[in-house]
């Protein structure tokens, strides 16, 4: 973890210690305590839903401005991935500036992309309202070449 990210995380913890808990992620007026992100990575530059899945590829969540990855996970044999963000990660998560990437070649995929990366934007799928915490579920759109 970079020194800059550590300093940023420490400052977030200090702010949390002196601030009310409502300063985390908020969607539609609801305070969000947990975030889950899922999707399917396919071996295609244009998001072809019939392309073979990318198995055992590293999926990375990056949010604007951070130099380090916010979260990582691996795809399953069917290309499916699921990541859960910790409370601290949820505080750093801004859906409009976050995206999913997978580096190529990954797993069983050998397509060529000029920048070597497939990317996907996130879409809010649902918010589950609970007694103790609200959970926001996001779906990664199709993995595409050069969406940024």
């Amino acid at each position: 973890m970079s020194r800059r990210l550590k300093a940023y995380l420490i400052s977030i913890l200090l702010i949390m210690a002196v601030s009310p808990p409502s300063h985390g992620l908020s969607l539609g007026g609801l305070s969000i305590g947990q975030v889950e992100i899922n999707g399917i990575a396919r071996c295609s530059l244009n998001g072809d839903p019939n392309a073979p899945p990318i198995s055992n590829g590293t999926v990375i969540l990056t949010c604007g401005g951070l130099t380090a990855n916010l979260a990582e996970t691996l795809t399953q044999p069917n290309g499916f991935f699921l990541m859960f963000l910790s409370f601290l990660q949820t505080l750093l998560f801004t859906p409009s500036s976050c995206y999913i990437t997978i580096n190529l070649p990954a797993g069983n995929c050998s397509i060529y992309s000029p920048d070597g990366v497939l990317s996907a934007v996130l879409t809010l799928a649902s918010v589950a309202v609970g007694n103790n915490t609200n959970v926001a579920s996001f779906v990664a759109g199709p993995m595409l070449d050069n969406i940024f």
Side-chain angles (χ1 to χ4, degrees), residues 45 99-104 113-119 144-146:
L45 297 176
Y99 55 94
I100 293 290
T101 60
I102 189 165
N103 293 323
L104 297 173
S113 167
D115 62 358
V117 175
L118 293 180
S119 304
L144 303 171
D145 183 37
N146 291 323

Side-chain angles (χ1 to χ4, degrees), residues 9 12 16 23-27 31-37 61 63 70-71 84-95 98 133-136 138:
L9 293 176
I12 292 283
M16 287 172 42
H23 289 284
L25 178 63
S26 179
L27 296 172
S31 178
I32 303 299
Q34 292 181 343
V35 172
E36 66 178 35
I37 300 168
L61 174 65
C63 292
L70 190 55
F84 294 95
L85 303 186
S86 69
F87 179 73
L88 185 57
Q89 289 169 316
T90 299
L91 293 174
L92 300 172
F93 178 75
T94 305
C98 295
T133 189
N134 299 320
V135 180
F138 289 84

Side-chain angles (χ1 to χ4, degrees), residues 45-63:
L45 297 176
N46 62 4
D48 179 0
N50 297 314
I54 298 175
S55 175
N56 203 33
T58 302
V59 178
I60 300 167
L61 174 65
T62 305
C63 292

